[in-house]
Amino acid sequence: MFTRLLGNRLKNAAGDKKEEKKLMKQLDMNMLPEHIAIIMDGNGRWATKKGMPRSFGHRAGVNALREVVKLCVELGIKYLTVYAFSTENWKRPRDEINMLMELLVEYLNKEIEELCANNVKINPMGIISELPPQAQEAVTMAVQRTKGNTGMVFNVALNYGGRAELVQAVRRIGEKIQRGELQVEDVDETVVNNHLYTAGQPDPDLLIRPSGDYRISNFLLWQLAYTEFWLTSTMWPDFGRIDLLKALLDFQGRERRFGGLVHN
Ligand code: IPE
Ligand code: IPE
Ligand code: MG
């Protein structure tokens, strides 16, 4: 029984590798998105379906994240933005919030060496000062340790809300006007961009949302203006290299017009 199970598992893994190779071959390495954004959703439902506590799903979600980060680095993606905790997620039970914060600390501490080895630079997005002290410390450590890295920028949205981001941008711009450092007439899209957590970065080319839900959930409201969406019913813990490759291939078949016309 055990050997049969193990045998099946090995067979599946071999099949996955084969499919991954096939997909990878189809990929045009010159047409990869510069910036990928992901709403890592579906951990709870994935666990519940297995008769397990939601925390089990969050743990499995971290493994999925690890794999996706790895593949993005391998592919040379320049910016990866992941939604880890929203400004609305505080509505959840205290226990789940605490667990998520502990998981964040654990993830950062465990992964920091690997992230540094891969030249990844961590850029937290959100109101970090409202996180529990230990989470703040881990985030500060991760920023410090990776600040000199020149490879992929890894934006981690923590206590992030698209509306909150815009509110803080408006406030900071208002303060500059008040101090006379900026004129109202000079406020344009570039100025707004420069006051977002993604200042200096290109907008996401591709947004991936697993879990079968079709909404933005307050993610990157400004930045997603012309982003291509790729939605899947796969839950985040099951999202793997093959799913990311499928999303990338689909993206490469899209016609992006940005409101203009495409002439053949
Ligand atoms: C995403 O999974 C993780 C966070 C929001 C922190 P969920 O916890 O939202 O899982 P579902 O959507 O309930 O399945
Ligand atoms: C979005 O997922 C936030 C994160 C993945 C961190 P949610 O589960 O919070 O979103 P809703 O409630 O389904 O819109
Ligand atoms: Mg959810």
Side-chain angles (χ1 to χ4, degrees), residues 115-240:
L115 292 168
C116 279
N118 284 326
N119 202 15
V120 172
K121 180 178 179 159
I122 294 189
N123 176 43
M125 302 175 42
I127 309 170
I128 303 303
S129 59
E130 286 177 5
L131 297 180
Q134 274 180 329
Q136 286 188 47
E137 271 169 39
V139 171
T140 309
M141 173 282 294
V143 171
Q144 277 300 110
R145 290 280 308 273
T146 64
K147 68 169 191 250
N149 292 348
T150 53
M152 184 173 85
V153 173
F154 183 22
N155 297 313
V156 185
L158 285 166
N159 191 20
Y160 172 88
R163 288 185 173 178
E165 180 181 35
L166 288 168
V167 167
Q168 66 87 27
V170 171
R171 282 196 184 156
R172 282 173 51 214
I173 292 169
E175 283 162 9
K176 285 185 185 170
I177 293 172
Q178 223 168 25
R179 290 198 296 266
E181 294 167 18
L182 191 69
Q183 301 304 308
V184 172
E185 313 77 73
D186 293 333
V187 177
D188 57 10
E189 291 191 9
T190 308
V191 169
V192 175
N193 255 317
N194 290 341
H195 289 82
L196 301 178
Y197 297 118
T198 47
Q201 302 184 15
D203 289 337
D205 303 290
L206 174 64
L207 170 79
I208 296 173
R209 180 164 193 158
S211 90
D213 284 325
Y214 306 130
R215 53 177 173 263
I216 295 186
S217 302
N218 201 11
F219 194 38
L220 305 174
L221 296 179
W222 171 280
Q223 297 90 334
L224 295 178
Y226 274 102
T227 301
E228 297 293 327
F229 284 24
W230 193 78
L231 307 163
T232 173
S233 56
T234 298
M235 297 292 156
W236 176 247
D238 282 333
F239 192 99

Side-chain angles (χ1 to χ4, degrees), residues 21 24 60 73 80-81 96 109 116 123 141 158 233 254:
K21 239 178 155 172
M24 194 72 102
V73 168
L80 172 67
T81 303
E96 182 168 345
N109 287 329
C116 279
N123 176 43
M141 173 282 294
L158 285 166
S233 56
R254 305 271 179 100

Side-chain angles (χ1 to χ4, degrees), residues 17-84:
K17 273 283 153 221
K18 214 166 139 195
E19 186 175 6
E20 190 188 317
K21 239 178 155 172
K22 197 177 100 194
L23 294 170
M24 194 72 102
K25 243 192 218 150
Q26 292 171 39
L27 208 59
D28 181 345
M29 296 302 280
N30 297 317
M31 269 184 55
L32 288 172
E34 256 195 300
H35 188 166
I36 300 175
I38 306 178
I39 301 177
M40 305 188 289
D41 194 24
N43 295 349
R45 278 165 286 174
W46 179 88
T48 305
K49 212 172 152 211
K50 289 185 163 358
M52 300 297 279
R54 292 176 59 84
S55 57
F56 183 68
H58 293 313
R59 281 206 169 271
V62 171
N63 290 333
L65 174 63
R66 202 174 284 128
E67 284 304 308
V68 164
V69 170
K70 226 165 94 186
L71 181 53
C72 286
V73 168
E74 284 169 35
L75 292 170
I77 300 298
K78 294 204 177 74
Y79 302 89
L80 172 67
T81 303
V82 299
Y83 206 0

